[in-house]
Amino acid sequence: MLRSVWRDVARTFALDLRSLALFRVCLAGLIIVDLVNRARYLQAHYTDRGVLPREALLETTWVPSWLSLHMIGGSVEIQSILFLVAGLIAGLLLVGWHTRLMTVLSWFLMISLHARNPVILQRGDVVFRLLLFWSMFLPLGARWSVDTALAKESDFELESYHLSPSSFAYITQLCFIYFFSAILKAGDAWIAEYDAVYYALALDQLTTPIGDWLFEQHSLHEPLTIGTLGLEAFGWVLLVVPVFKAPLRLLAIVLFFGMHLGFAVTMQLGLFSYIMCVAWLALLPGAVWDWLEQRVHFRGKECRLTTPPGISRKGADLGQTFLVLPEL
C-alpha cells in the first residue's frame, strides 16, 4: 500500500510526453520569434557600430566566466550568420530532428546572445534560458517528432508520461519562480494599500489601449492586486497536490494563462507573457490528450475525426478528414 501511495505522490511530478511535444514546438517557435525581433536591431545592439561595442562591454559589465560565441566578431555579417544558424537550429528543434542536440545548441546560442548585450535583457529572458536548460534533460522528442518517425518501434517509450529528476526539477523551478516572486512583493503597494496595479498601469509608456482603459477603472485595482499576489503566492500549490491531479493542474494552467495573457493585453512586456505561457504547456495533464483522442481516432498513419452526434452518416462521409501522421 505504501508503495502505491508513493507512486501516486511521485507521479505528481510526471509530465505527459504529448505535452512535452507541444511544449517543444511552441518553445522552438518562440526562439524564432525572439530572433526575428532582435534581428530588427542587429547592428544597434550586437555589433561594434552599435550602442555597446565589444571593447566597451569587456570594460564594463563583462564577467570572465561568461561564454559568448557572439564575441568573436563585431561586424554585421558575423552576427547575421550566428542569427541564421540559431534560427536553423530552432527550426530543427521544432520538427524534432536530433532533438536533444538541437536543444543543447539552442540553449548555448541563447546564453551566448544574451551575454553579448546584457543591458537590453529583461526577466523573461532569464526564464527563457531556464526553460531551455531543463529541456536538455527532458524527452522533448519522444512524441510527434522526426526522431520518433525514424526510430524503431522498440525505441519508443511505452508510457505516455515521463517521471525523472528532470521532470521534478522542471516543475519545482516553475513553482519557485512564482513563490519567490510573491515573496519579493513585500511593499505597501502590495500588502497594505493594494494599489500595485494602479502604479503599474500608470507607466503609460508601457501600457496598451486596454491598459489605459483599465487604469481608469479604479474599483478594479485592489481586487486585481490581491488576485495577482494571491495567485503567485499559492496558485503553484495546485501542481503538487497528490489528489485530483488532472483537474487541479488544468485549473492552475487556466489561472496562470489568464494572468499572463492579462499582462500581455494591458502592458508591453515583450515576450515575457508568452514565455511564461509556453512554460505551462509542458504541464498539460494527459487527461486533456485522452479527451481529444476520444474524438480523434488514430489508426496507423490515418487520423479520422469522429462523427459528431446528430450528423447523418451521409453528411459525415462528405465531411470526413484524413491527415498523414506518424505512428503514435
Side-chain angles (χ1 to χ4, degrees):
M1 180 178 178
L2 288 177
R3 182 177 298 178
S4 176
V5 172
W6 168 248
R7 184 170 61 250
D8 289 340
V9 173
R11 288 188 64 171
T12 302
F13 294 95
L15 298 172
D16 193 278
L17 294 178
R18 296 160 293 185
S19 300
L20 287 176
L22 176 63
F23 169 70
R24 181 197 78 237
V25 171
C26 295
L27 183 65
L30 208 55
I31 294 173
I32 295 172
V33 172
D34 182 55
L35 288 171
V36 171
N37 286 340
R38 293 180 186 274
R40 296 163 56 198
Y41 309 100
L42 187 146
Q43 179 172 306
H45 290 165
Y46 301 105
T47 71
D48 288 344
R49 298 177 61 185
V51 296
L52 188 62
R54 288 174 298 161
E55 183 178 352
L57 174 61
L58 292 172
E59 293 176 351
T60 54
T61 59
W62 182 259
V63 177
S65 60
W66 286 356
L67 182 64
S68 177
L69 193 61
H70 291 72
M71 291 291 287
I72 64 175
S75 67
V76 172
E77 291 76 16
I78 290 177
Q79 297 300 320
S80 297
I81 291 172
L82 290 172
F83 268 68
L84 289 172
V85 169
L88 176 61
I89 291 172
L92 294 175
L93 174 61
L94 189 148
V95 300
W97 185 77
H98 291 282
T99 306
R100 195 175 300 277
L101 175 60
M102 296 303 115
T103 306
V104 172
L105 292 176
S106 291
W107 172 77
F108 172 75
L109 287 173
M110 180 171 288
I111 63 172
S112 171
L113 181 64
H114 289 179
R116 175 59 185 86
N117 193 344
V119 178
I120 61 174
L121 300 182
Q122 45 118 329
R123 294 302 180 186
D125 295 312
V126 178
V127 178
F128 215 165
R129 296 197 300 269
L130 287 172
L131 294 184
L132 275 171
F133 175 80
W134 293 119
S135 294
M136 293 190 294
F137 308 102
L138 294 170
L140 300 189
R143 293 291 187 273
W144 308 339
S145 66
V146 174
D147 289 343
T148 54
L150 299 178
K152 299 177 181 178
E153 188 174 351
S154 58
D155 294 333
F156 294 162
E157 293 195 37
L158 298 179
E159 294 283 357
S160 62
Y161 65 90
H162 174 75
L163 176 61
S164 70
S166 57
S167 66
F168 173 83
Y170 183 89
I171 294 176
T172 304
Q173 178 72 79
L174 195 58
C175 293
F176 281 173
I177 289 173
Y178 293 103
F179 175 69
F180 288 104
S181 176
I183 288 180
L184 292 173
K185 292 178 171 62
D188 289 344
W190 286 101
I191 60 177
E193 304 296 333
Y194 306 115
D195 52 4
V197 169
Y198 168 83
Y199 286 114
L201 295 175
L203 301 172
D204 55 359
Q205 67 270 30
L206 296 179
T207 55
T208 66
I210 296 178
D212 294 335
W213 172 84
L214 187 59
F215 177 72
E216 302 296 334
Q217 313 306 311
H218 300 285
S219 61
L220 297 178
H221 295 165
E222 181 174 332
L224 287 175
T225 300
I226 296 173
T228 300
L229 180 59
L231 186 59
E232 290 188 350
F234 305 107
W236 58 270
V237 176
L238 297 172
L239 298 178
V240 296
V241 177
V243 295
F244 305 113
K245 292 187 287 291
L248 289 180
R249 182 168 291 190
L250 188 58
L251 175 61
I253 292 172
V254 170
L255 290 175
F256 281 100
F257 251 73
M259 181 180 74
H260 287 297
L261 292 179
F263 293 161
V265 299
T266 56
M267 301 191 72
Q268 302 177 38
L269 301 175
L271 292 180
F272 170 74
S273 296
Y274 307 107
I275 292 169
M276 298 307 304
C277 286
V278 167
W280 283 96
L281 292 178
L283 277 72
L284 274 173
V288 173
W289 301 109
D290 295 338
W291 179 84
L292 288 174
E293 288 176 1
Q294 290 178 2
R295 288 151 179 80
V296 182
H297 298 302
F298 295 97
R299 299 175 182 176
K301 292 188 177 182
E302 288 185 342
C303 168
R304 175 175 297 176
L305 300 182
T306 56
T307 306
I311 302 297
S312 66
R313 180 64 187 172
K314 181 178 180 181
D317 291 338
L318 292 175
Q320 230 168 33
T321 305
F322 294 89
L323 302 174
V324 178
L325 293 174
E327 289 280 347
L328 297 185

